[in-house]
């Protein structure tokens, strides 16, 4: 069985949600959003080490929210402090991944509707290929727009995928990619961007449109409906 660590970045400000409360604590189906995410990941036994990245000062609150999981498997869970950008937070988590775990799965705390099945598929594929991201084909036509609002391009839609998480990588590739990104001052919006630019092959695994990232208020409304359609937790 593949052995992996999960890094769950949950240290953001939630600015686009427009809520004082960290969106990880918002209620979804009556439970904190982050608990949904971590409950799904906890069902994946290949994930031997779970590293949750908390906003500095929120470490105890995160531990309280996740206590139903932590009390059952105390050794499996680790909470570390995040940084200014998502990339800093993931890096802080990456420092804690034991060398014996060959794969690292990075999954946003803000994606509570992930399923264990998709995580397992991504782990299996990454064990074979080294790096995998989960995504879905884009349904809308996408345009490139300049600073003045002028449309300057229409990428061929059949080549476009909306990338999600989990993103699963060989630990050595991810470490090398992060070290190169820091040396070159590169800041990406996902981890795969760092691995791609470091020259490693990254493959796409088709996931589920329901694997929303809870970013704006509408996403929480959609997630409630999707959770109900799925039959709850
Ligand atoms: N410095 C940061 C920024 C983001 N994240 C995490 O990365 C995931 C994806 O980020 P996003 O959805 O952008 O969350 P926020 O940064 O909180 O949102 P916003 O950009 O609206 O502030 C989230 O689980 C978020 O908590 C993090 O751990 N550390
Ligand atoms: C990693 C990610 O979820 C892939 O879609 C996304 O890039 C995170 O972006 P955010 O602005 O940090 O939410």
């Amino acid at each position: 069985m593949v052995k992996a660590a999960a890094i769950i970045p949950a240290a953001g400000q939630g600015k686009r949600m427009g809520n004082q409360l960290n969106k990880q604590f918002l209620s979804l189906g009556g439970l904190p959003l982050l608990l949904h995410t971590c409950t799904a990941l906890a069902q994946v036994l290949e994930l031997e080490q779970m590293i949750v990245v908390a906003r500095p000062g929120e470490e105890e609150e995160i531990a309280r929210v996740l206590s139903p999981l932590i009390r059952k498997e105390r050794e499996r869970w680790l909470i570390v402090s995040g940084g200014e950008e998502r990339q800093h937070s993931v890096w802080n988590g990456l420092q804690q991944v034991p060398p014996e775990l060959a794969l690292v799965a990075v999954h946003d705390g803000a994606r509570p509707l992930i399923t264990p099945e998709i995580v397992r598929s991504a782990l299996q594929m990454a064990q074979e290929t080294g790096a995998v991201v989960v995504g879905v084909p884009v349904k809308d036509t996408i345009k490139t727009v300049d600073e003045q609002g002028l449309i300057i391009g229409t990428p061929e839609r059949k080549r476009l995928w909306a990338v999600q998480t989990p993103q699963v990588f060989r630990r050595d590739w991810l470490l090398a990619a992060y070290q190169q990104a820091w040396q070159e001052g590169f800041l990406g919006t996902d981890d795969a961007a760092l691995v791609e630019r470091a020259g490693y092959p990254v493959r796409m695994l088709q996931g589920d449109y329901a694997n929303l990232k809870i970013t704006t208020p509408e996403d929480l409304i959609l997630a409630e409906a999707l959770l109900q359609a799925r039959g709850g937790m």
Side-chain angles (χ1 to χ4, degrees):
M1 177 166 78
V2 66
K3 289 186 172 189
I7 298 173
I8 303 119
Q13 298 295 320
K15 298 185 211 62
R16 288 169 285 179
M17 186 56 80
N19 196 306
Q20 286 305 314
L21 183 70
N22 182 343
K23 64 184 181 184
Q24 309 293 333
F25 305 132
L26 291 176
S27 174
L28 173 65
L31 292 172
L33 193 148
L34 184 62
L35 184 57
H36 284 277
T37 306
C38 292
T39 299
L41 294 175
Q43 293 172 53
V44 182
L45 302 183
E46 295 88 335
L47 298 175
E48 293 203 359
Q49 176 79 68
M50 310 289 263
I51 302 166
V52 183
V53 190
R55 213 194 278 181
E58 286 188 350
E59 295 87 351
E60 285 185 19
E61 178 64 10
I62 292 269
R64 190 187 62 74
V65 163
L66 299 180
S67 57
L69 300 170
I70 294 173
R71 72 165 74 98
K72 287 181 196 164
E73 301 179 294
R74 196 163 298 282
E75 295 306 308
R76 190 180 182 193
W77 296 86
L78 179 65
I79 297 171
V80 300
S81 301
E84 188 182 342
E85 300 292 339
R86 182 183 180 282
Q87 189 169 308
H88 297 108
S89 295
V90 173
W91 174 248
N92 290 358
L94 188 52
Q95 307 305 298
Q96 302 303 322
V97 173
E100 63 271 20
L101 298 182
L103 292 179
V104 180
V106 184
H107 182 67
D108 295 328
R111 289 185 187 270
L113 297 181
I114 188 61
T115 62
E117 292 74 20
I118 287 177
V119 179
R120 289 191 193 98
S121 298
L123 288 168
Q124 187 57 48
M125 191 170 170
Q127 187 177 23
E128 294 153 14
T129 64
V132 171
V133 301
V134 170
V136 289
V138 165
K139 293 187 270 189
D140 298 317
T141 294
I142 303 296
K143 301 282 184 186
T144 310
V145 185
D146 73 11
E147 295 76 15
Q148 284 71 45
L150 178 69
I151 291 174
I152 54 175
T154 304
E156 191 184 10
R157 187 169 68 184
K158 70 179 179 184
R159 291 263 177 263
L160 297 179
W161 289 65
V163 167
Q164 305 170 344
T165 64
Q167 302 192 357
V168 186
F169 309 94
R170 275 176 47 162
R171 175 180 171 275
D172 56 343
W173 288 10
L174 192 57
L175 274 169
Y178 260 83
Q179 282 154 358
Q180 180 176 331
W182 296 137
Q183 283 159 10
E184 296 171 359
F186 176 79
L187 206 54
T189 54
D190 76 339
D191 306 288
L194 281 66
V195 178
E196 293 155 36
R197 68 191 300 277
Y200 298 106
V202 181
R203 285 171 174 75
M204 179 68 69
L205 171 67
Q206 181 155 353
D208 184 342
Y209 286 102
N211 183 24
L212 299 181
K213 181 165 67 73
I214 308 303
T215 310
T216 56
E218 303 82 4
D219 299 323
L220 202 55
I221 298 165
L222 289 172
E224 283 287 356
L226 288 164
L227 190 67
Q228 280 184 27
R230 191 187 274 182
M233 184 73 175

